[in-house]
Amino acid sequence: MVTLVFSVTATGILSDLWSKEWKTLQLSLQVTAPFLHVAAVSLMAVLSWPTALHFFRMNKRVRQVVVLGLYLSVLFSLYLVPLGMYSPCIKEAGTLGPAPALIGHRGAPMLAPENTLMSFEKAVEAGGEGLETDVTISYDGVPFLMHDSTLRRTTNIAEVFPNRTHLDASMFTWAELQQLNAGSWFLSRDPFGTASSLSEVDRSQAQNQSVPSLAQFLEVAAASSKLVLFDLRRPPHGHPYRRSYINTTLKVIQAHINSSQVLWLPSEDRQLVYGLDPELQQTSGVKASIQQLTDDHISRLNLHYSTMSQQQICKYQSVNISTNLYVISQPWLYTLAWCAGAQSVTTNSVHILSGITKPLFLMTAEEYTLMWILTDFVSAFFIFAIFTFHW
């Protein structure tokens, strides 16, 4: 009873904590389903030897019927699994869309410190078609790049301002932010295990990165004609730009890049923003009805990959609403997004995904049908031969 209660409790807790991971497992089963079916049937064929051996050694017919019935039930169930199988990478020839565009998540964080100019330049060099970042406003009104609410993780604030490490990042002036190092942490903590593969030149450059302003970031994107996607965090109470942070950000955008290159994600005052700059590509982080999205002038959705659905992506695409999925860094997950029809993905590994020229598990329905029939036929013949040998 203690073991049962512990197991049920642990399963419940893990299901809650790992809800997205369970969804990832489901997605992986979708993309690998045809090959898992072949593996499962092959395993049953291997198990036919010990099953047949024990079947013919049993003296009681009831036990023989139970063993053989159980084995054949599982086997025939596996034979019929493809009838109800769904995999987006089983497609008719010529129906596969273009590869999703790659948007560098905080640049190229596997090759350089996240949200630094070096990181964005690396993403551009690797073939990224867009750049994603996070923006907040300094105490004196300068929009700058920082993902976390504090500066502890990605700067050396503990050395420069040891008594202010707990403060919100937006409570520092731009001059104070420029005193911080935003790259040394990357080499010491090595978040992706890639720092050791950097050249000496890259290591030296990473070591000396600073906190960039939004203006500097936009200049990199404008020079390379890349799309820009960013979250905009509202400053806390007591901040002098808490009410005007959106207008402050819009002014910087209009001064440094073509507005049509910007995927505007913040939902606050969206209608006001559209009225001030209709060239911005209005982007929503939540799914909604087509009517609501159209009323809000949404042209792109920015959704977590766990919500991936080929049917919904196609539905939105039919009314010219693109879908961007985040954060996709594994080739198999990129394959699934490609087969599902996503127009773009946000990724930590632009340098890896840019080298994928076709989905990893793509096949036509005819190819899979042939694989299914051959697998079932060969396994059935093998199992029959095993039982005949033991008999």
Side-chain angles (χ1 to χ4, degrees), residues 199-386:
S199 67
E200 285 301 319
V201 173
D202 284 346
R203 289 178 66 87
S204 176
Q205 185 180 359
Q207 180 72 41
N208 294 291
Q209 290 299 296
S210 58
V211 177
S213 66
L214 174 60
Q216 292 171 319
F217 165 71
L218 293 177
E219 287 170 0
V220 172
S224 53
S225 300
K226 302 301 180 184
L227 294 174
V228 167
L229 171 68
F230 61 83
D231 282 317
L232 178 61
R233 194 165 61 87
R234 186 176 189 180
H237 291 286
H239 194 286
Y241 287 85
R242 178 172 172 80
R243 293 180 178 274
S244 59
Y245 75 106
I246 290 181
N247 283 332
T248 301
T249 304
L250 285 175
K251 289 178 181 178
V252 174
I253 290 174
Q254 293 166 344
H256 292 90
I257 196 172
N258 189 321
S259 296
S260 62
Q261 291 175 240
V262 178
L263 310 181
W264 183 264
L265 185 58
S267 59
E268 188 171 352
D269 294 329
R270 189 180 293 279
Q271 294 298 337
L272 174 62
V273 171
Y274 179 80
L276 293 173
D277 194 341
E279 291 299 314
L280 294 170
Q281 295 190 45
Q282 295 297 323
T283 304
S284 175
V286 295
K287 290 187 286 188
S289 66
I290 289 179
Q291 184 61 52
Q292 183 177 346
L293 294 174
T294 303
D295 292 343
D296 289 339
H297 311 286
I298 301 298
S299 61
R300 190 181 297 252
L301 290 172
N302 184 54
L303 305 173
H304 190 268
Y305 71 81
S306 63
T307 65
M308 189 186 313
S309 166
Q310 184 175 13
Q311 291 74 19
Q312 290 184 338
I313 290 174
C314 291
K315 180 183 73 172
Y316 290 128
Q317 188 178 16
S318 67
V319 291
N320 295 320
I321 297 176
S322 303
T323 300
N324 178 69
L325 300 174
Y326 67 90
V327 173
I328 289 179
S329 300
Q330 298 81 15
W332 73 265
L333 203 50
Y334 180 65
T335 284
L336 188 58
W338 189 346
C339 292
Q343 285 72 44
S344 60
V345 301
T346 302
T347 179
N348 291 325
S349 55
V350 172
H351 62 297
I352 296 175
L353 300 187
S354 60
I356 298 177
T357 57
K358 62 175 293 186
L360 301 180
F361 304 102
L362 182 66
M363 66 177 70
T364 64
E366 290 76 16
E367 290 171 336
Y368 178 59
T369 300
L370 178 62
M371 184 172 72
W372 169 27
I373 293 174
L374 284 176
T375 299
D376 289 359
F377 177 79
V378 172
S379 64
F381 178 80
F382 178 83
I383 292 169
F384 177 76
I386 292 296

Side-chain angles (χ1 to χ4, degrees), residues 113-116 136 144-162 164-170 172-174 176-189 191 206-212:
E114 67 177 60
N115 279 339
T116 61
T136 191
F144 67 97
L145 310 189
M146 184 59 56
H147 174 266
D148 298 0
S149 59
T150 70
L151 301 165
R152 287 192 294 258
R153 183 174 65 88
T154 57
T155 75
N156 63 337
I157 188 174
E159 300 172 10
V160 182
F161 302 109
R164 302 171 65 189
T165 58
H166 64 286
L167 291 181
D168 192 283
S170 62
F172 291 80
T173 66
W174 178 240
E176 290 171 332
L177 292 167
Q178 287 297 280
Q179 298 178 45
L180 301 175
N181 182 296
S184 59
W185 72 273
F186 174 77
L187 298 177
S188 61
R189 298 179 193 170
Q207 180 72 41
N208 294 291
Q209 290 299 296
S210 58
V211 177

Side-chain angles (χ1 to χ4, degrees), residues 46-59 64 67-68 71 383 386-391:
V46 172
L47 290 176
S48 66
W49 181 277
T51 302
L53 184 64
H54 287 288
F55 174 80
F56 287 108
R57 285 183 176 181
M58 289 178 179
N59 297 323
Q64 287 181 317
V67 170
L68 187 61
Y71 178 81
I383 292 169
I386 292 296
F387 273 83
T388 301
F389 173 79
H390 283 285
W391 179 71

